[in-house]
Amino acid sequence: MKVAIGCDHGGIDLKNIVVGVLTDLGHEIDDQGCNSVESFDYPEFAKSVSTLVKEGKCQCGILICGTGIGMSMAANRIPGIRAALCNEMFSAKMSREHNNANILCLGARVIGPGLATEIVRTWMGTDFAGGRHQRRIDMF
Ligand code: RB5
């Protein structure tokens, strides 16, 4: 799968870890930055990653900021994007199974690298269940 990834300065260390996880899983990565620790505005990266997913250039995306909140708010403003902030495993699984989330948001100041790795593995490996869940998605 081709995965778009982006972060702000709060998420850069975790982004590098997530890139390693995705690479180990055999995915191709389109890294939209940031790539340094100076202060960046997270909506910029939310927009570039969301656009790649919306236009079908990447099959899904991962966005990381300090809490994951700003990234998820910004990404969900873009039509066609279903961004899910998941800082624990159950939400990661359900956001794919029930909500067909196409972007995973993580809070680098909320969770550690071990949990983030498991969340990414779970999210990437869980399929949408369809059926009644598709009907509900079609309502928004
Ligand atoms: C940056 O300091 C911080 O506000 C940002 O990473 C994020 O947590 C916003 O939601």
Side-chain angles (χ1 to χ4, degrees), residues 74-87:
N76 278 315
R77 296 297 299 270
I78 295 168
I81 294 302
R82 293 177 301 280
L85 171 57
C86 302
N87 286 325

Side-chain angles (χ1 to χ4, degrees), residues 13-117:
D13 291 341
L14 185 55
K15 186 189 76 173
N16 292 332
I17 290 166
V18 170
V19 165
V21 174
L22 293 170
T23 303
D24 286 350
L25 290 171
H27 298 295
E28 191 185 341
I29 293 149
D30 186 335
D31 187 348
Q32 292 291 301
C34 68
N35 287 304
S36 74
V37 292
E38 64 190 277
S39 185
F40 286 97
D41 298 329
Y42 60 81
E44 193 184 314
F45 305 98
K47 192 171 179 184
S48 57
V49 165
S50 297
T51 301
L52 287 170
V53 173
K54 178 187 171 179
E55 292 178 351
K57 292 175 181 152
C58 291
Q59 282 69 60
C60 64
I62 298 182
L63 287 166
I64 308 168
C65 64
T67 60
I69 296 170
M71 285 294 198
S72 60
M73 287 179 167
N76 278 315
R77 296 297 299 270
I78 295 168
I81 294 302
R82 293 177 301 280
L85 171 57
C86 302
N87 286 325
E88 35 75 27
M89 299 286 286
F90 183 71
S91 297
K93 184 167 184 285
M94 298 313 282
S95 75
R96 289 287 310 125
E97 246 179 57
H98 284 195
N99 310 109
N100 200 14
N102 51 13
I103 291 187
L104 169 67
C105 299
L106 298 170
R109 295 174 182 157
V110 181
I111 55 172
L115 179 54
T117 297

